Amino acid sequence: MTDDAQSFDVLPGAGHSPVILHVPHSAREIPPSVRADIVLGDEELARELDHITDAHTAQIAEAAARTAGVVPWRFVNRLSRLVVDPERFPDEREEMRAVGMGAVYTRTTHGGVLRSEDVEAGPLVARYFLPYARAMTQAVADRLAATGRAVIIDVHSYPRARLPYELHGQGARPPVCLGTDPFHTSPGLLDAARQAFAETELDSPFSGAYVPLEFYGTDRRVEALMVEIRRDTYMTEPGGPAGPGLERLAAALARLVDAVSG
């Protein structure tokens, strides 16, 4: 991928669908200019990408969109979260800064050096983070204008065994973790997710749900839920191929989409 390539895709769904499947962490691509500031060798970087990438989640979302009765919209990051993490706060509000994983990571999943602490985050935030945030904000605004509401379903995955960077990884690690927000996750959305996925826990080992800041905490028409799928249920860890569990999980995600589309 070149530095000028499109860093995300907004893939249209049905005009009357309020649902956006948001896939922020599925890619491994790193533009050359960004790679130049990452201190890991190629083999080390490949191993880090195996651990940090939510592998095959874009395929799960794609298969769910094909299966759903009402086709959802999809917003898919085409760059690795090692470029920028679009779901972090870009400032001191972000608690993951404590482990070098704010909007621009300086540490690896195992606490090693990823970038020099002297690397300026500002240019990466301006080049990649802010355009992504503006586009996601517009995508939500478009669903609100078209349908009167927006439902953001964040599609993630996480490893079976806790990685050192996890601040709150000591709890249960269920097949599917449902991350909630006290303002934006409605009881109906949560109930639909529990019915769609067989085995779930709430907010363990990850909590919260992504909402663009323009709507966060102020607009109840924007609902949000994070779906964290444990990787061993659909792929070989770390970074290996997908297995038959992918289609099963895509079908469950499609059921959730249809349940909240009406």
Side-chain angles (χ1 to χ4, degrees), residues 6-182:
Q6 173 81 8
S7 64
F8 54 84
D9 287 328
V10 183
L11 301 164
H16 61 290
S17 172
V19 178
I20 300 171
L21 295 181
H22 182 219
V23 188
H25 295 158
S26 66
R28 296 172 67 100
E29 295 292 338
I30 301 174
S33 65
V34 180
R35 171 69 180 96
D37 286 329
I38 292 176
V39 302
L40 303 180
D42 289 345
E43 290 187 6
E44 292 175 301
L45 178 57
R47 284 196 297 272
E48 179 62 14
L49 286 167
D50 286 345
H51 288 296
I52 200 65
T53 303
D54 292 353
H56 313 298
T57 50
Q59 289 92 327
I60 292 173
E62 180 181 8
R66 287 198 309 267
T67 304
V70 179
V71 180
W73 295 64
R74 285 178 288 146
F75 193 108
V76 182
N77 189 5
R78 296 305 184 190
L79 295 181
S80 169
R81 64 198 290 191
L82 298 184
V83 179
V84 296
D85 191 330
E87 294 207 315
R88 303 286 200 242
F89 288 113
D91 52 34
E92 66 280 352
R93 289 174 291 178
E94 180 52 61
E95 70 169 351
M96 294 301 292
R97 287 164 60 101
V99 290
M101 288 185 163
V104 176
Y105 295 0
T106 58
R107 294 283 170 172
T108 70
T109 50
H110 290 72
V113 176
L114 181 74
R115 291 181 175 91
S116 166
E117 298 287 348
D118 297 330
V119 169
E120 288 287 337
L124 289 173
V125 169
R127 172 67 181 84
Y128 298 107
F129 184 96
L130 294 179
Y132 190 106
R134 287 193 293 267
M136 187 63 182
T137 299
Q138 187 60 54
V140 172
D142 289 346
R143 293 303 85 218
L144 290 174
T147 73
R149 63 194 186 102
V151 182
I152 304 168
I153 301 175
D154 238 8
V155 185
H156 290 261
S157 71
Y158 75 101
R160 180 180 57 81
R162 180 182 183 178
L163 289 172
Y165 83 93
E166 297 179 25
L167 291 179
H168 309 291
Q170 66 272 19
R173 302 181 82 83
V176 176
C177 160
L178 301 176
T180 66
D181 179 89

